[in-house]
Amino acid sequence: MPRRRTSSSSSSTGSTTGATGTTAAPRNRTPQPVRIRRRSFGDFVKAFFAFVALAVLLVGVPGALATQIGWPLPNGVPSLDWLQQEITVHTFLNILTVIVWMAWAQFTACVLVEMKAALSGVGVPGRVPGAGPSQLLARQLVAALLLVGATAASLTPGLSQLGHSYDANQKPTVAAAQATPGLFAQQQDQAAGAAAALAEQASHAAAHADAGGSTAKQGDTKYYRIQPPEGRHHDSLWEIAQRHLGDGRRYKEIFELNKDRVQPDGSKLSEASLIRPGWIMEMPGDARGGELVEMPDEAPNVSPDVQQQISDYAQTGDHAQGGGGSGAQGGGHEHAGGGATQVSVPDQQRPDPGTGHQQATGIGAESDSSFGLPEALLTAPLLAAGLLGALGRRRRQALWQSAFGSIGGRRGMEPPTPSGDAQDVQDALLVGADPEGVRLLDRSLRGLAASLAEESRALPVVYAAWLSNGDLHLQLAQPAGKPPAPWQQGQDQTFWMLSRTDAERYEDVDTAAPYPGLVSLGTMDDSRLLLNLEAVPGIVSLSGREADRAAVFASVAAELATNGWSDRMTITLVGFGEDLTPLAPNRIRHLEDIEALVETMEAETRQRRGALGAAGHDSVLTGRTGPAQHTRWAPHLVLLAAQPSAEDAVKLAELAADASRLGIGYLVGTETGDLPGAAWEMEITGQGKLLAPLLGLELDAQLLPVAQQRAVVELFVEADPESRPEGGPANTPPFLVDISEQGRPAVYARLVGPYEIIGLDNPDGERSALLHEALALLLLHREGVHPRVLSSALWPRGVTDDVRESLLERLRAWLGTDTDGTPRLTTDSSGRLTLAKTVVSDLDVLRSLYHEATQGKGVGSRAVRGRLLTDALVLVRGPLLADRPEGRYRWLTHEIVDAQLPLLVADTGLALCEFHMEKNRAEKAIEALQAALRTAPADERLWHELLRATHATGDSDRLTALATDLIGRSGARGLPPRTEALLDELLPAWRDAIAAVG
């Protein structure tokens, strides 16, 4: 018989034609049923005795020891006399009791280790030191007990594949149609055709099941052919080992026998979790299983083609390495090179199958101690950066609205100071945020889109992105050729990689965000996974306890609503998140039930299909970054936390069949883990693990628990100016200075303008800049600064505990003590660092003078008000920290003080102008306004009052010159409408006058 060629053109063994006429037959496949071993009466007997044995060993032994013998150890510290006493029977029994207790503890640890491994469904159990026979006994008892409860497959989500071959020369396989409905379909009738083809394939498989299988001889070399999906069941190495080797944990033996060997379709096995129907696996010699274990020369019930494939595969027993892919970096295996689209870890971060995953902290070199701050936000740098940026924008918006009178009562003052959980969450955002990482991610993706547009190339479909040690890895749905520079090809043709150093060279480009649907799911071995929800070929389902699912949904919603790599999108929340809308009212909408969701999405799906067809685009990606940019290309991401009914689930599956082409993504919660139309399935555990075992993914999930969710929302609500009653009282500054002669401070820092410190000697020259920066942060936050916030501000990339403590000791020593011996740097009851009232800044004095003039003594005394306002304006010497060194004080980007200070100075100038105009002192009013404009030149209110004060002088030439200056400052944008209206009132012929002058 001639040897079979393995090219794609000759690998198809048959075809099945659906209603649409498309060929949907799998390649290199003779359908064979996967027969799951039925549980017998003997299995139940074994499970019962295993339960009894475990109960006796785990509960009975310690109970008997506690009740019959009691505490075996001495109740006090043994003396020398006690050691010289004769050993009695009682002493000997106590020694034996201690030994039994230790043996029981070791056995209990073995049971817990084995139980965890069995229930998780992935990985080889950890080895308990010195517990060989004990752990073996525990393994056998646990296996017997779980045998009747669930199979290995039912203990893990059914995610055997995230995608299938995108071979350009052939149609998708039936398995692809079943696992990812609508992935290649562009209309609903095509999805229906794939379903019909699947039904016919299932009937062939059932007929073959009745015909029987192949035979085997014990001890010969044996082979197993990976079976196609049957219903919702997908084959896996774990299940193969469970059926044919008696222990699913022996899957690694099968993996080692077959890794990197060329399969009939030309690809290779590179990960124990990624196998495909039609592949051949060499089995260990003790494999059993009759009809499912096939040998090359003794398999009469399989086709000649399959026999030839097995024979060819047997010739690769030396595990010859094939070419065609880039080598693994750092000892990993090659990624399967047959065009498969799987979400897998970049090579340099891929763990060895069966080993545990280290927990990624995401907080640099900081200590594991969270100092009481929410750990969920400390380890979510992209989410924290998005929330922090959105909160800052909301607070700035509130300041400007209050300054222009849209919302009364908060002019130039501090926003409300958070407390309790909200304060802890704000500190956690400051510590955990990685704005630089967000900036690099955004620039990298937009830069990639711009480069591809210059080369007239379409954007590739991206399933996932990995952030690993500062590098960005994009995982493509299919090979897309050579990436544009400075991008490089990763471990194979489906990975594009950009190093951090190359990403830092990108500048801002004016192009649409190419992948706005990326959202963080968690970390794996210090690599952060971002899943592109809008590119998923169907529904993503999430199973687990309701509270755990809610934490995942809240995290996804919050990041999508505030992330920095998306221009615009719509996020529809169903079954949760009604209180999340304050995070981004323009992005988030909440629907009451699934019925409203289905009605909405049916209409939008039709609209998007029509828009794409009219524009001549295949998908949103081909139109997102071209000249036809439009809001219709923005993604719509649906987060459905409620379990849909069977009927609703079918409707959602039909809608999701074409969703990835339209830029619509679905994340749906399920209690059972079994959701029709789910292309990708995940599970969240009570330990915070996000599992996709058959993909080899075990992530430390990114969560936003309900307590932190409420605190985050509270921060946004408090920052919203509309949440305050109009005309309410102004906020009192968090720290008021005694401005009388008796209140002279011991340490005075000048922050408004060049940074100066009066009352302290200069510290050690090498550490002077660091200590000055730490003091400035403390002076700007008189309510207190968390130690982790201080250290993350000074060392954004992380710092160890000893370095932080050394800095605090030096800071305490530098600030010293007051005359009564009280330290000037103390720690309050919440652990936050606070300064003594004798340490004051000019910004504190400026706020106190303005507050006293407008709400204190100046209200009842005109003379006092004028003196206080004049003294306040004299303090202004320039912008905040005008001479700060480059590269330091980056934490100011998280602050709103740069917006508060100009508004406070403008309010002070306006109040002093009003004070002088009451006595018709126009020149004094002009002098006050000009002093304020030096710090707040963009404040329109100051220019309006300056026009009025200049008009009051009666000098029309002077007014015309001022109007000309204003027009010159406005540039191409022209004068604001209100300024034009004011000039029409004060100088009706200003246009002609300015034209004559200019």
Side-chain angles (χ1 to χ4, degrees), residues 774-798:
L775 179 58
L777 178 60
L778 291 167
L779 285 167
L780 292 177
H781 291 278
R782 302 306 301 238
E783 72 277 9
V785 177
H786 197 284
R788 287 288 299 275
V789 174
L790 179 64
S791 61
S792 65
L794 301 179
W795 296 283
R797 301 183 68 177

PDB file of all heavy atoms in Angstrom, residues 774-798:
ATOM      1  N   ALA A 774       8.808  63.060  49.447  1.00  0.00           N
ATOM      2  CA  ALA A 774       7.938  62.427  50.438  1.00  0.00           C
ATOM      3  C   ALA A 774       7.215  63.477  51.271  1.00  0.00           C
ATOM      4  O   ALA A 774       6.009  63.351  51.550  1.00  0.00           O
ATOM      5  CB  ALA A 774       8.757  61.497  51.333  1.00  0.00           C
ATOM      6  N   LEU A 775       7.916  64.529  51.673  1.00  0.00           N
ATOM      7  CA  LEU A 775       7.279  65.583  52.459  1.00  0.00           C
ATOM      8  C   LEU A 775       6.218  66.316  51.645  1.00  0.00           C
ATOM      9  O   LEU A 775       5.147  66.654  52.172  1.00  0.00           O
ATOM     10  CB  LEU A 775       8.345  66.555  52.965  1.00  0.00           C
ATOM     11  CG  LEU A 775       7.833  67.730  53.800  1.00  0.00           C
ATOM     12  CD1 LEU A 775       7.066  67.237  55.018  1.00  0.00           C
ATOM     13  CD2 LEU A 775       8.985  68.652  54.218  1.00  0.00           C
ATOM     14  N   ALA A 776       6.482  66.554  50.364  1.00  0.00           N
ATOM     15  CA  ALA A 776       5.485  67.230  49.525  1.00  0.00           C
ATOM     16  C   ALA A 776       4.202  66.406  49.439  1.00  0.00           C
ATOM     17  O   ALA A 776       3.094  66.955  49.521  1.00  0.00           O
ATOM     18  CB  ALA A 776       6.070  67.466  48.130  1.00  0.00           C
ATOM     19  N   LEU A 777       4.324  65.087  49.288  1.00  0.00           N
ATOM     20  CA  LEU A 777       3.136  64.238  49.221  1.00  0.00           C
ATOM     21  C   LEU A 777       2.356  64.310  50.528  1.00  0.00           C
ATOM     22  O   LEU A 777       1.119  64.398  50.517  1.00  0.00           O
ATOM     23  CB  LEU A 777       3.562  62.798  48.925  1.00  0.00           C
ATOM     24  CG  LEU A 777       2.435  61.752  48.863  1.00  0.00           C
ATOM     25  CD1 LEU A 777       1.436  62.099  47.763  1.00  0.00           C
ATOM     26  CD2 LEU A 777       3.004  60.364  48.625  1.00  0.00           C
ATOM     27  N   LEU A 778       3.045  64.286  51.658  1.00  0.00           N
ATOM     28  CA  LEU A 778       2.372  64.370  52.953  1.00  0.00           C
ATOM     29  C   LEU A 778       1.704  65.729  53.144  1.00  0.00           C
ATOM     30  O   LEU A 778       0.603  65.818  53.708  1.00  0.00           O
ATOM     31  CB  LEU A 778       3.374  64.116  54.080  1.00  0.00           C
ATOM     32  CG  LEU A 778       3.919  62.688  54.179  1.00  0.00           C
ATOM     33  CD1 LEU A 778       5.118  62.639  55.116  1.00  0.00           C
ATOM     34  CD2 LEU A 778       2.835  61.745  54.684  1.00  0.00           C
ATOM     35  N   LEU A 779       2.334  66.803  52.673  1.00  0.00           N
ATOM     36  CA  LEU A 779       1.756  68.135  52.817  1.00  0.00           C
ATOM     37  C   LEU A 779       0.503  68.312  51.964  1.00  0.00           C
ATOM     38  O   LEU A 779      -0.397  69.083  52.335  1.00  0.00           O
ATOM     39  CB  LEU A 779       2.790  69.188  52.422  1.00  0.00           C
ATOM     40  CG  LEU A 779       3.912  69.432  53.441  1.00  0.00           C
ATOM     41  CD1 LEU A 779       5.028  70.241  52.814  1.00  0.00           C
ATOM     42  CD2 LEU A 779       3.371  70.130  54.689  1.00  0.00           C
ATOM     43  N   LEU A 780       0.433  67.614  50.837  1.00  0.00           N
ATOM     44  CA  LEU A 780      -0.742  67.724  49.972  1.00  0.00           C
ATOM     45  C   LEU A 780      -1.881  66.826  50.431  1.00  0.00           C
ATOM     46  O   LEU A 780      -2.984  66.897  49.875  1.00  0.00           O
ATOM     47  CB  LEU A 780      -0.370  67.379  48.529  1.00  0.00           C
ATOM     48  CG  LEU A 780       0.562  68.375  47.832  1.00  0.00           C
ATOM     49  CD1 LEU A 780       0.918  67.893  46.441  1.00  0.00           C
ATOM     50  CD2 LEU A 780      -0.065  69.758  47.769  1.00  0.00           C
ATOM     51  N   HIS A 781      -1.631  65.966  51.430  1.00  0.00           N
ATOM     52  CA  HIS A 781      -2.661  65.064  51.949  1.00  0.00           C
ATOM     53  C   HIS A 781      -2.631  65.115  53.467  1.00  0.00           C
ATOM     54  O   HIS A 781      -2.125  64.204  54.135  1.00  0.00           O
ATOM     55  CB  HIS A 781      -2.432  63.635  51.438  1.00  0.00           C
ATOM     56  CG  HIS A 781      -2.682  63.467  49.975  1.00  0.00           C
ATOM     57  ND1 HIS A 781      -3.946  63.279  49.458  1.00  0.00           N
ATOM     58  CD2 HIS A 781      -1.837  63.504  48.910  1.00  0.00           C
ATOM     59  CE1 HIS A 781      -3.865  63.192  48.141  1.00  0.00           C
ATOM     60  NE2 HIS A 781      -2.603  63.320  47.784  1.00  0.00           N
ATOM     61  N   ARG A 782      -3.207  66.178  54.008  1.00  0.00           N
ATOM     62  CA  ARG A 782      -3.195  66.353  55.464  1.00  0.00           C
ATOM     63  C   ARG A 782      -4.085  65.341  56.165  1.00  0.00           C
ATOM     64  O   ARG A 782      -3.961  65.128  57.371  1.00  0.00           O
ATOM     65  CB  ARG A 782      -3.646  67.783  55.818  1.00  0.00           C
ATOM     66  CG  ARG A 782      -2.821  68.877  55.225  1.00  0.00           C
ATOM     67  CD  ARG A 782      -1.340  68.739  55.522  1.00  0.00           C
ATOM     68  NE  ARG A 782      -1.027  68.719  56.923  1.00  0.00           N
ATOM     69  CZ  ARG A 782      -0.209  69.567  57.550  1.00  0.00           C
ATOM     70  NH1 ARG A 782       0.407  70.505  56.848  1.00  0.00           N
ATOM     71  NH2 ARG A 782       0.045  69.478  58.833  1.00  0.00           N
ATOM     72  N   GLU A 783      -4.969  64.677  55.416  1.00  0.00           N
ATOM     73  CA  GLU A 783      -5.812  63.655  56.035  1.00  0.00           C
ATOM     74  C   GLU A 783      -5.027  62.398  56.368  1.00  0.00           C
ATOM     75  O   GLU A 783      -5.518  61.540  57.115  1.00  0.00           O
ATOM     76  CB  GLU A 783      -6.984  63.305  55.118  1.00  0.00           C
ATOM     77  CG  GLU A 783      -6.626  62.500  53.873  1.00  0.00           C
ATOM     78  CD  GLU A 783      -6.117  63.336  52.712  1.00  0.00           C
ATOM     79  OE1 GLU A 783      -5.871  64.541  52.922  1.00  0.00           O
ATOM     80  OE2 GLU A 783      -5.974  62.779  51.611  1.00  0.00           O
ATOM     81  N   GLY A 784      -3.815  62.255  55.836  1.00  0.00           N
ATOM     82  CA  GLY A 784      -2.988  61.085  56.102  1.00  0.00           C
ATOM     83  C   GLY A 784      -2.660  60.325  54.829  1.00  0.00           C
ATOM     84  O   GLY A 784      -3.441  60.322  53.871  1.00  0.00           O
ATOM     85  N   VAL A 785      -1.509  59.686  54.806  1.00  0.00           N
ATOM     86  CA  VAL A 785      -1.040  58.937  53.646  1.00  0.00           C
ATOM     87  C   VAL A 785      -0.682  57.528  54.091  1.00  0.00           C
ATOM     88  O   VAL A 785       0.086  57.341  55.039  1.00  0.00           O
ATOM     89  CB  VAL A 785       0.182  59.613  52.993  1.00  0.00           C
ATOM     90  CG1 VAL A 785       0.704  58.769  51.831  1.00  0.00           C
ATOM     91  CG2 VAL A 785      -0.162  61.016  52.517  1.00  0.00           C
ATOM     92  N   HIS A 786      -1.254  56.552  53.419  1.00  0.00           N
ATOM     93  CA  HIS A 786      -0.938  55.160  53.730  1.00  0.00           C
ATOM     94  C   HIS A 786       0.530  54.880  53.378  1.00  0.00           C
ATOM     95  O   HIS A 786       1.027  55.363  52.356  1.00  0.00           O
ATOM     96  CB  HIS A 786      -1.844  54.233  52.923  1.00  0.00           C
ATOM     97  CG  HIS A 786      -1.900  52.839  53.420  1.00  0.00           C
ATOM     98  ND1 HIS A 786      -0.884  51.937  53.217  1.00  0.00           N
ATOM     99  CD2 HIS A 786      -2.844  52.175  54.139  1.00  0.00           C
ATOM    100  CE1 HIS A 786      -1.192  50.788  53.761  1.00  0.00           C
ATOM    101  NE2 HIS A 786      -2.375  50.901  54.325  1.00  0.00           N
ATOM    102  N   PRO A 787       1.247  54.103  54.197  1.00  0.00           N
ATOM    103  CA  PRO A 787       2.657  53.811  53.869  1.00  0.00           C
ATOM    104  C   PRO A 787       2.833  53.186  52.493  1.00  0.00           C
ATOM    105  O   PRO A 787       3.825  53.474  51.804  1.00  0.00           O
ATOM    106  CB  PRO A 787       3.083  52.842  54.987  1.00  0.00           C
ATOM    107  CG  PRO A 787       2.160  53.129  56.122  1.00  0.00           C
ATOM    108  CD  PRO A 787       0.868  53.533  55.502  1.00  0.00           C
ATOM    109  N   ARG A 788       1.901  52.324  52.080  1.00  0.00           N
ATOM    110  CA  ARG A 788       2.013  51.722  50.762  1.00  0.00           C
ATOM    111  C   ARG A 788       1.809  52.758  49.660  1.00  0.00           C
ATOM    112  O   ARG A 788       2.414  52.659  48.587  1.00  0.00           O
ATOM    113  CB  ARG A 788       0.999  50.577  50.607  1.00  0.00           C
ATOM    114  CG  ARG A 788       1.338  49.322  51.367  1.00  0.00           C
ATOM    115  CD  ARG A 788       2.522  48.600  50.726  1.00  0.00           C
ATOM    116  NE  ARG A 788       2.253  48.188  49.377  1.00  0.00           N
ATOM    117  CZ  ARG A 788       1.639  47.055  49.050  1.00  0.00           C
ATOM    118  NH1 ARG A 788       1.255  46.218  49.989  1.00  0.00           N
ATOM    119  NH2 ARG A 788       1.440  46.743  47.792  1.00  0.00           N
ATOM    120  N   VAL A 789       0.943  53.740  49.892  1.00  0.00           N
ATOM    121  CA  VAL A 789       0.736  54.808  48.916  1.00  0.00           C
ATOM    122  C   VAL A 789       2.002  55.644  48.787  1.00  0.00           C
ATOM    123  O   VAL A 789       2.427  55.999  47.671  1.00  0.00           O
ATOM    124  CB  VAL A 789      -0.466  55.683  49.316  1.00  0.00           C
ATOM    125  CG1 VAL A 789      -0.590  56.888  48.385  1.00  0.00           C
ATOM    126  CG2 VAL A 789      -1.753  54.879  49.298  1.00  0.00           C
ATOM    127  N   LEU A 790       2.626  55.951  49.916  1.00  0.00           N
ATOM    128  CA  LEU A 790       3.864  56.730  49.885  1.00  0.00           C
ATOM    129  C   LEU A 790       4.967  55.993  49.135  1.00  0.00           C
ATOM    130  O   LEU A 790       5.644  56.567  48.267  1.00  0.00           O
ATOM    131  CB  LEU A 790       4.305  57.042  51.319  1.00  0.00           C
ATOM    132  CG  LEU A 790       5.608  57.837  51.451  1.00  0.00           C
ATOM    133  CD1 LEU A 790       5.457  59.229  50.840  1.00  0.00           C
ATOM    134  CD2 LEU A 790       6.031  57.945  52.917  1.00  0.00           C
ATOM    135  N   SER A 791       5.146  54.715  49.445  1.00  0.00           N
ATOM    136  CA  SER A 791       6.226  53.972  48.807  1.00  0.00           C
ATOM    137  C   SER A 791       5.964  53.757  47.317  1.00  0.00           C
ATOM    138  O   SER A 791       6.887  53.822  46.506  1.00  0.00           O
ATOM    139  CB  SER A 791       6.423  52.627  49.509  1.00  0.00           C
ATOM    140  OG  SER A 791       5.258  51.826  49.423  1.00  0.00           O
ATOM    141  N   SER A 792       4.712  53.510  46.928  1.00  0.00           N
ATOM    142  CA  SER A 792       4.420  53.318  45.511  1.00  0.00           C
ATOM    143  C   SER A 792       4.557  54.624  44.739  1.00  0.00           C
ATOM    144  O   SER A 792       4.852  54.613  43.542  1.00  0.00           O
ATOM    145  CB  SER A 792       3.014  52.741  45.324  1.00  0.00           C
ATOM    146  OG  SER A 792       2.030  53.665  45.759  1.00  0.00           O
ATOM    147  N   ALA A 793       4.333  55.772  45.402  1.00  0.00           N
ATOM    148  CA  ALA A 793       4.527  57.060  44.737  1.00  0.00           C
ATOM    149  C   ALA A 793       6.008  57.329  44.497  1.00  0.00           C
ATOM    150  O   ALA A 793       6.395  57.825  43.430  1.00  0.00           O
ATOM    151  CB  ALA A 793       3.913  58.177  45.576  1.00  0.00           C
ATOM    152  N   LEU A 794       6.841  56.993  45.463  1.00  0.00           N
ATOM    153  CA  LEU A 794       8.277  57.248  45.330  1.00  0.00           C
ATOM    154  C   LEU A 794       8.968  56.200  44.468  1.00  0.00           C
ATOM    155  O   LEU A 794       9.923  56.504  43.754  1.00  0.00           O
ATOM    156  CB  LEU A 794       8.926  57.292  46.722  1.00  0.00           C
ATOM    157  CG  LEU A 794       8.379  58.358  47.680  1.00  0.00           C
ATOM    158  CD1 LEU A 794       9.084  58.273  49.023  1.00  0.00           C
ATOM    159  CD2 LEU A 794       8.539  59.750  47.094  1.00  0.00           C
ATOM    160  N   TRP A 795       8.495  54.949  44.560  1.00  0.00           N
ATOM    161  CA  TRP A 795       9.081  53.853  43.790  1.00  0.00           C
ATOM    162  C   TRP A 795       7.960  53.141  43.029  1.00  0.00           C
ATOM    163  O   TRP A 795       7.459  52.110  43.464  1.00  0.00           O
ATOM    164  CB  TRP A 795       9.800  52.868  44.700  1.00  0.00           C
ATOM    165  CG  TRP A 795      10.987  53.450  45.423  1.00  0.00           C
ATOM    166  CD1 TRP A 795      12.216  53.697  44.899  1.00  0.00           C
ATOM    167  CD2 TRP A 795      11.054  53.839  46.801  1.00  0.00           C
ATOM    168  NE1 TRP A 795      13.050  54.209  45.857  1.00  0.00           N
ATOM    169  CE2 TRP A 795      12.370  54.311  47.038  1.00  0.00           C
ATOM    170  CE3 TRP A 795      10.145  53.831  47.856  1.00  0.00           C
ATOM    171  CZ2 TRP A 795      12.768  54.771  48.275  1.00  0.00           C
ATOM    172  CZ3 TRP A 795      10.540  54.303  49.092  1.00  0.00           C
ATOM    173  CH2 TRP A 795      11.844  54.769  49.295  1.00  0.00           C
ATOM    174  N   PRO A 796       7.513  53.684  41.914  1.00  0.00           N
ATOM    175  CA  PRO A 796       6.359  53.099  41.210  1.00  0.00           C
ATOM    176  C   PRO A 796       6.567  51.657  40.782  1.00  0.00           C
ATOM    177  O   PRO A 796       5.605  50.915  40.619  1.00  0.00           O
ATOM    178  CB  PRO A 796       6.184  54.014  39.982  1.00  0.00           C
ATOM    179  CG  PRO A 796       7.005  55.212  40.227  1.00  0.00           C
ATOM    180  CD  PRO A 796       8.040  54.863  41.220  1.00  0.00           C
ATOM    181  N   ARG A 797       7.818  51.228  40.603  1.00  0.00           N
ATOM    182  CA  ARG A 797       8.083  49.870  40.122  1.00  0.00           C
ATOM    183  C   ARG A 797       8.281  48.880  41.261  1.00  0.00           C
ATOM    184  O   ARG A 797       8.609  47.726  41.029  1.00  0.00           O
ATOM    185  CB  ARG A 797       9.317  49.883  39.213  1.00  0.00           C
ATOM    186  CG  ARG A 797       9.150  50.809  38.022  1.00  0.00           C
ATOM    187  CD  ARG A 797      10.336  50.775  37.092  1.00  0.00           C
ATOM    188  NE  ARG A 797      10.444  49.490  36.426  1.00  0.00           N
ATOM    189  CZ  ARG A 797      11.373  49.209  35.516  1.00  0.00           C
ATOM    190  NH1 ARG A 797      12.266  50.126  35.197  1.00  0.00           N
ATOM    191  NH2 ARG A 797      11.413  48.017  34.952  1.00  0.00           N
ATOM    192  N   GLY A 798       8.066  49.333  42.511  1.00  0.00           N
ATOM    193  CA  GLY A 798       8.117  48.422  43.647  1.00  0.00           C
ATOM    194  C   GLY A 798       9.302  48.689  44.542  1.00  0.00           C
ATOM    195  O   GLY A 798      10.337  49.214  44.129  1.00  0.00           O
TER     196      GLY A 798
END
